[in-house]
Amino acid sequence: MPSLSEEQVELVQLVRSFVDKEVLPVASELDHRDEFPAGLVDTMKEIGLFGITIPEEYGGLGLDLFTYALVIKELSRGWISLSGVINTHFMAAWMILNFGTQEQRHRYLPRMATGEWRSAYSMTEPHAGSDVQAIRTRARRDGDEYVINGQKMWATNGLRANMIMLLTVTDPQAQPRHRGMTAFIVEKEPGVGEQPGLTVPPHLKKLGYRGVESTELVFDGFRTPASSVLGGETQTGQGFRQFMAAVELGRVNVAARAVGLATCALEQAIAYANQRETFGKVISQHQAIQLKIAQMATRLKAAELLVFEAARLKATGARADLEAGMAKLFATETALEVATEAMRIHGGYGYSQEYMVERLYRDAPLLILGEGSNEIQQLLIARRVLESPESWH
């Protein structure tokens, strides 16, 4: 892992302290109530976490993706829902910074850096998950505006966000189809379920990943100015490329979340194994438990190295789709395995809501599905390796 600057070390330690003192004591309770963690989010705003990678000229901290991955790991050690509050916001800010017009950067980034404005990121539809080119949400030009019709699914922060980074079809006849897709920065009223042209139904009930809303977005004649095309009207038809670039970052984020969750699961397993007694001694002295701990710790360390390498490479501006895909695949599968083993080490208590591992066990499956399922990740990895055998070593 690269050496950290004093600023990076201080920020990571600050987030770790925040997680230990304020997040871990309440996360499971908030999760069971499926309650949005308003107080914790306010603290995250005060720390500056909503503007980690936004340049200082726009009011952010101006740090790199590697630092962001370190912070996301620490947040996720407490509760992956907190990193979910930030992730779509981070991806939208990155898109505006890299693809937006100067006017868009100055309009949105300062308010995003403070957390005053939060963004959702909407690509998935009921019939189009991993197959992004199958989306149907249509944006049709009407004078100086676009009229949007369609339905989106799994929009994290979809209700409370002030804005949505939205992928639409503007030219249904384009071949290949992705050339007819355009990204919009859509402004909306936060916390309002019904507004002109847009309905946000009650948030979806989930196995885990609670406390942060995942919603549908139903557009029916929603109007947005032509100036809301990401990068300006010359970028019409570039939405697919822009969204795919952000997804690569999202995979690093999900992988870092997985490392954080797995770290927490291992910590909980070790603490329990050191105090639970069977047959006259603590269970950490039983070889069967020691074998589990050894496997969990080794896989976690390997996952961490993959994630930090992908984040470091992406931070340099180099192509990192292979590294991000490998990190996402291995780290999320590791998180699921480590959470399961932590539950088994707890025995019957691991199935009880009294213990934290029950929440970790429910949260882990999200990670193998989000930002492209792990089956899709394997196809993408194989394609890169077959195209360029030297690319993976």
Side-chain angles (χ1 to χ4, degrees), residues 319-335:
R319 181 177 181 179
D321 55 336
L322 176 64
E323 291 77 9
M326 286 181 167
K328 195 272 182 184
L329 170 65
F330 189 82
T332 58
E333 294 289 347
T334 294

Side-chain angles (χ1 to χ4, degrees), residues 69-384:
L70 292 173
V71 167
I72 290 300
K73 174 203 166 185
E74 294 299 332
L75 278 180
S76 300
R77 187 175 66 85
W79 191 19
I80 65 166
S81 293
L82 290 182
S83 53
V85 171
I86 289 183
N87 185 39
T88 58
H89 179 88
F90 155 73
M91 292 166 74
W94 183 87
M95 291 175 74
I96 292 170
L97 180 63
N98 285 274
F99 304 124
T101 64
Q102 271 300 106
E103 181 181 352
Q104 289 168 343
R105 293 180 191 131
H106 285 288
R107 175 172 176 77
Y108 296 111
L109 292 180
R111 285 183 282 187
M112 296 177 77
T114 62
E116 174 191 353
W117 274 39
R118 288 173 42 219
S119 182
Y121 174 94
S122 187
M123 181 171 62
T124 302
E125 298 185 1
H127 50 274
S130 297
D131 184 10
V132 179
Q133 293 194 65
I135 69 166
R136 301 172 187 166
T137 296
R138 177 77 193 279
R140 178 179 52 82
R141 184 67 182 263
D142 182 24
D144 292 333
E145 296 179 316
Y146 280 85
V147 180
I148 300 175
N149 291 282
Q151 182 183 8
K152 294 291 186 179
M153 286 288 289
W154 300 112
T156 301
N157 302 312
L159 176 64
R160 291 180 172 85
N162 306 71
M163 52 192 284
I164 306 164
M165 190 64 69
L166 183 72
L167 184 62
T168 70
V169 176
T170 47
D171 181 4
Q173 307 305 316
Q175 292 296 330
R177 200 165 189 273
H178 66 79
R179 291 182 179 172
M181 296 183 182
T182 300
F184 287 87
I185 308 170
V186 171
E187 297 183 18
K188 60 180 280 293
E189 289 294 322
V192 178
E194 293 278 352
Q195 50 196 286
L198 175 60
T199 300
V200 184
H203 69 264
L204 300 163
K205 299 295 183 181
K206 299 166 292 188
L207 171 70
Y209 195 42
R210 298 174 180 172
V212 55
E213 80 269 17
S214 301
T215 67
E216 297 177 65
L217 300 171
V218 182
F219 294 91
D220 184 10
F222 183 89
R223 289 183 171 271
T224 187
S227 60
S228 64
V229 171
L230 178 63
E233 292 187 77
T234 60
Q235 295 301 299
T236 300
Q238 297 298 310
F240 182 84
R241 176 182 62 84
Q242 294 164 342
F243 263 73
M244 289 302 99
V247 164
E248 189 174 308
L249 294 174
R251 286 173 182 153
V252 173
N253 171 280
V254 170
R257 280 200 250 182
V259 170
L261 185 149
T263 299
C264 184
L266 179 58
E267 290 172 349
Q268 294 298 311
I270 291 171
Y272 184 82
N274 280 329
Q275 59 91 19
R276 170 69 169 171
E277 292 187 6
T278 64
F279 305 104
K281 58 185 177 182
V282 292
I283 64 173
S284 62
Q285 294 180 16
H286 294 300
Q287 285 187 348
I289 299 299
Q290 291 175 358
L291 295 176
K292 288 182 182 293
I293 296 294
Q295 288 287 336
M296 294 159 74
T298 302
R299 287 182 61 86
L300 176 55
K301 175 56 69 174
E304 186 175 64
L305 292 172
L306 278 171
V307 171
F308 291 156
E309 172 62 13
R312 182 201 62 78
L313 184 62
K314 184 63 178 176
T316 67
R319 181 177 181 179
D321 55 336
L322 176 64
E323 291 77 9
M326 286 181 167
K328 195 272 182 184
L329 170 65
F330 189 82
T332 58
E333 294 289 347
T334 294
L336 184 58
E337 179 179 324
V338 172
T340 302
E341 289 300 291
M343 185 181 69
R344 295 174 73 168
I345 288 172
H346 279 70
Y349 288 113
Y351 204 62
S352 166
Q353 291 187 351
E354 292 182 40
Y355 286 80
M356 194 180 302
V357 292
E358 174 268 345
R359 168 171 61 84
L360 302 176
Y361 180 72
R362 288 187 291 102
D363 279 346
L366 165 78
L367 302 172
I368 65 174
L369 303 172
E371 302 299 346
S373 71
N374 279 0
E375 288 71 25
I376 292 293
Q377 295 305 312
Q378 292 175 75
L379 296 177
L380 295 175
I381 292 166
R383 186 180 305 158
R384 280 294 316 280

Side-chain angles (χ1 to χ4, degrees), residues 37-52:
L40 298 178
V41 170
D42 285 343
T43 302
M44 288 158 60
K45 292 178 182 178
E46 294 170 7
I47 296 173
L49 299 188
F50 284 88
I52 294 178

